[in-house]
Amino acid sequence: MDYLLEEEDREKLLIARYLEFEKKNYLVLPKLYEAIGLSKFKTRNYMNDLNKDFSFLVTKPEIFISDEGEIEVKNLNLTDIKNLRRAYFDRSKIAQLLTEIINSGISIEKFAENHFLSISRAYVKRKELVSFLARQEIKLRKNVIVGDETNVRNMLFGVYFGVYNGFKLPFKESVMNEARNIIQYFEYLFNLKLSATKRIKLNVLTTITLLRAYNKQFISKRFFTEAYFNSAEGKKIVKDLSHIAFKHLSQDQITDEISYIMMFLMSEVEFEESCNFTLAESNFHYIHKVSQKMAAELFDHLTFANEVTETQQLQVHEALRAGIMRINRKHWIFDFRMASFTSKKQMQFFFETYPSFSTAVRNVIQDNGQYFETKDESFTVRLFYDYLFLLINICPVSYFETPIYVCIDFSQGSTYTDYIVSQVNGFKNYNIIVENRITSRTDIYLSDCLLEKFSKEQIIWKNPPTPDDWEYFGNTVIKVKNKSVVNF
């Protein structure tokens, strides 16, 4: 996404993001030069420019550099980084060219005239845009973005949702009004209760759908059965929406585009399949076959505790099958490049907190890599998180992992001990069972008194615990789990 910014703004944003990430650490100029790979001259100038660029932000961030080269950052947060990126995107000629091509298929000559650029300079921007699109296996042909249509729309969604989130999109007002009318129609028809983020996502997707259709770039797939769209309800939807949007499109084209939007709503779990409202199996046979295979293998990787009944295991299996089908359908059609949960580095926390789940998910994805050969590495990372979150939601950790027994016993009395117990009970993800006295099962003894003959882990807190104390407690629980953390 940042490739669509002008080079100077892209490098300034890089500095701002680094400073925001490291703002609580000791920062000096040599470390900054090394980390971002820019010259001293450029870096200093960019930081001066950033202080000017920060002036429009509500929090008024500032960067201070001492004579000794120490850097102090004040009031800079992730909200500021998002606002800064949006401002840089709005003034980028590359991004403006992309937006105007989507809006109206503008010619490069007209773009140059509108933005007071020389023709040669405008063609430089076009070349940079073509380079960005090529990375996504997309082309710019006669002022129209072309390629696999779902891939094109996924790219556009990733860019415009990533930049604007809930802020106004830079598209034709008439098209955005049509998108809002479509959303209101589906909200009423299906009695949807959309959260703020789901409404924003649906608005971006619907707006892009209309713009692509008006540029004669159609989805050319129908995700639901002909029987549904031939039913009274299906015919009414097509007829109603043809009056408020999709002008000058054929009925087949309108039906395909409506099915695309409805498929997105289903992927967001806003409604489920019903006897009348069923998917067109021809478009999903391969995905469903792969999903059933992966669900069965993931289930086989899970080692249930003896106390878990056969009925409970079958419930987990069925929930896994349905959940993985839904996740795979979503990723194969709506494979958006989101900014969060795309890094392998973030996985360490989950391997420590959910070792059996994380290992099972990693192994199944690796064993089925042949099905993702056409996808990039970030795709499998996104699958990892979605499968893991599915497992966490449908499976109590106690089904699979031996609980950690923690004896909590403070000399200050029962009220203080109960206070610490309530805090420890907040560590639900760690599958902890609290004891009020030491037993043969006790793994960790948490107290203000040190015991001479206790051979397990002891944690001593003389005063109310600090954040560092809680971090040490969490690390001790992880240590007791005695599970090796394996890199993905």
Side-chain angles (χ1 to χ4, degrees):
M1 191 191 307
D2 292 344
Y3 185 84
L4 291 169
L5 308 181
E6 302 294 344
E7 183 179 1
E8 287 189 359
D9 288 342
R10 188 162 63 242
E11 291 176 342
K12 283 191 288 185
L13 185 63
L14 173 65
I15 293 171
R17 291 164 78 174
Y18 180 82
L19 292 177
E20 193 282 327
F21 187 76
E22 295 283 352
K23 63 189 176 186
K24 292 183 180 179
N25 297 327
Y26 178 68
L27 280 171
V28 289
L29 283 172
K31 183 180 178 183
L32 178 61
Y33 301 147
E34 181 183 355
I36 62 177
L38 297 175
S39 70
K40 296 178 182 179
F41 177 76
K42 258 191 173 184
T43 305
R44 278 186 171 273
N45 282 344
Y46 282 160
M47 286 198 285
N48 289 332
D49 289 346
L50 278 169
N51 277 328
K52 296 174 186 175
D53 294 343
F54 287 156
S55 62
F56 82 95
L57 298 173
V58 175
T59 55
K60 296 292 185 284
E62 283 188 273
I63 304 168
F64 299 94
I65 304 173
S66 72
D67 293 338
E68 291 76 27
E70 295 176 344
I71 305 170
E72 183 183 3
V73 183
K74 289 189 175 180
N75 302 329
L76 184 62
N77 57 44
L78 284 173
T79 301
D80 299 324
I81 299 299
K82 278 183 172 285
N83 286 326
L84 192 64
R85 173 197 264 167
R86 190 174 64 256
Y88 288 165
F89 188 88
D90 283 339
R91 74 189 192 188
S92 164
K93 297 303 179 191
I94 314 167
Q96 289 169 4
L97 178 58
L98 174 64
T99 298
E100 292 184 33
I101 286 172
I102 298 165
N103 261 330
S104 61
I106 194 170
S107 69
I108 199 66
E109 291 77 16
K110 188 64 176 176
F111 179 79
E113 179 185 336
N114 291 349
H115 293 272
F116 308 103
L117 296 174
S118 67
I119 293 294
S120 61
R121 185 63 179 160
Y123 269 99
V124 168
K125 296 304 170 187
R126 186 184 189 279
K127 184 177 180 181
E128 291 177 18
L129 176 58
V130 167
S131 178
F132 166 78
L133 295 174
R135 295 181 182 191
Q136 329 295 324
E137 298 183 354
I138 297 168
K139 295 180 180 180
L140 182 58
R141 187 179 297 152
K142 294 182 180 180
N143 307 318
V144 177
I145 297 170
V146 296
D148 176 83
E149 187 56 25
T150 55
N151 185 36
V152 172
R153 296 186 187 196
N154 290 339
M155 179 276 293
L156 294 176
F157 182 97
V159 169
Y160 288 97
F161 177 78
V163 171
Y164 290 99
N165 290 174
F167 283 75
K168 185 176 179 180
L169 296 167
F171 299 126
K172 291 178 182 177
E173 193 63 41
S174 60
V175 174
M176 291 194 291
N177 284 335
E178 288 182 20
R180 283 190 285 270
N181 290 337
I182 291 171
I183 293 167
Q184 289 172 2
Y185 178 84
F186 279 126
E187 283 181 308
Y188 174 78
L189 179 68
F190 295 118
N191 193 28
L192 304 180
K193 306 295 181 184
L194 297 172
S195 68
T197 55
K198 286 186 177 181
R199 177 182 289 276
I200 291 165
K201 289 167 69 178
L202 180 58
N203 182 51
V204 175
L205 179 120
T206 306
T207 303
I208 289 171
T209 297
L210 288 168
L211 288 165
R212 292 297 290 170
Y214 288 147
N215 278 329
K216 303 188 185 308
Q217 303 300 309
F218 304 110
I219 200 69
S220 300
K221 283 182 182 178
R222 195 161 300 176
F223 296 104
F224 300 98
T225 60
E226 291 291 336
Y228 176 74
F229 285 109
N230 286 330
S231 69
E233 180 180 277
K235 286 180 178 179
K236 186 175 187 305
I237 291 173
V238 174
K239 182 179 178 181
D240 290 347
L241 290 182
S242 67
H243 291 315
I244 62 177
F246 302 111
K247 297 166 186 173
H248 311 301
L249 271 64
S250 70
Q251 182 166 316
D252 280 345
Q253 290 165 346
I254 295 172
T255 304
D256 289 344
E257 299 300 337
I258 290 171
S259 83
Y260 176 73
I261 297 171
M262 291 171 66
M263 189 67 226
F264 177 74
L265 285 170
M266 180 177 280
S267 75
E268 292 287 305
V269 201
E270 288 304 322
F271 53 77
E272 300 287 345
E273 281 189 81
S274 66
C275 56
N276 296 323
F277 190 75
T278 55
L279 295 171
E281 184 60 28
S282 59
N283 284 323
F284 296 99
H285 178 74
Y286 176 75
I287 299 171
H288 287 174
K289 184 177 178 182
V290 172
S291 300
Q292 289 175 357
K293 178 178 180 293
M294 294 182 74
E297 290 177 9
L298 185 52
F299 180 80
D300 289 341
H301 274 76
L302 301 175
T303 304
F304 289 87
N306 293 331
E307 295 78 14
V308 183
T309 66
E310 186 175 342
T311 300
Q312 289 172 321
Q313 292 185 37
L314 288 173
Q315 288 172 344
V316 169
H317 193 184
E318 178 55 30
L320 266 182
R321 188 193 65 80
I324 288 180
M325 272 192 179
R326 178 179 54 79
I327 289 167
N328 286 352
R329 281 199 303 257
K330 180 176 181 178
H331 280 295
W332 256 268
I333 302 168
F334 306 105
D335 183 28
F336 304 140
R337 306 282 180 102
M338 308 296 273
S340 55
F341 295 109
T342 57
S343 169
K344 284 185 177 182
K345 292 181 180 179
Q346 299 161 335
M347 290 181 177
Q348 182 177 353
F349 167 80
F350 294 100
F351 271 100
E352 291 176 347
T353 311
Y354 304 99
S356 60
F357 286 179
S358 298
T359 302
V361 169
R362 180 205 59 202
N363 290 344
V364 167
I365 291 176
Q366 285 181 343
D367 292 344
N368 290 275
Q370 71 270 24
Y371 300 116
F372 317 126
E373 288 178 351
T374 59
K375 306 289 186 178
D376 61 17
E377 187 179 38
S378 65
F379 178 87
T380 57
V381 174
R382 292 192 291 276
L383 274 190
F384 170 85
Y385 286 117
D386 276 354
Y387 287 1
L388 179 63
F389 296 148
L390 172 67
L391 268 177
I392 292 168
N393 286 331
I394 66 176
C395 303
V397 179
S398 59
Y399 277 19
F400 308 98
E401 294 182 3
T402 303
I404 305 300
Y405 289 86
V406 179
C407 175
I408 302 176
D409 182 19
F410 283 84
S411 64
Q412 286 95 328
S414 60
T415 54
Y416 181 74
T417 298
D418 289 344
Y419 162 72
I420 297 297
V421 167
S422 69
Q423 300 298 303
V424 169
N425 283 334
F427 285 73
K428 296 178 182 178
N429 298 334
Y430 289 97
N431 194 20
I432 291 172
I433 294 178
V434 174
E435 302 174 301
N436 58 15
R437 61 185 179 85
I438 293 174
T439 69
S440 60
R441 300 177 302 186
T442 303
D443 299 297
I444 299 172
Y445 177 65
L446 180 57
S447 178
D448 56 348
C449 296
L450 184 63
L451 301 182
E452 180 181 0
K453 294 185 178 180
F454 183 72
S455 60
K456 304 289 185 64
E457 296 285 343
Q458 293 193 58
I459 298 176
I460 304 301
W461 290 341
K462 285 294 184 184
N463 299 304
T466 65
D468 287 342
D469 291 330
W470 283 116
E471 181 179 359
Y472 180 77
F473 173 77
N475 290 337
T476 304
V477 172
I478 291 170
K479 177 182 174 182
V480 171
K481 283 176 179 277
N482 198 26
K483 298 281 187 178
S484 59
V485 178
V486 184
N487 291 326
F488 188 81

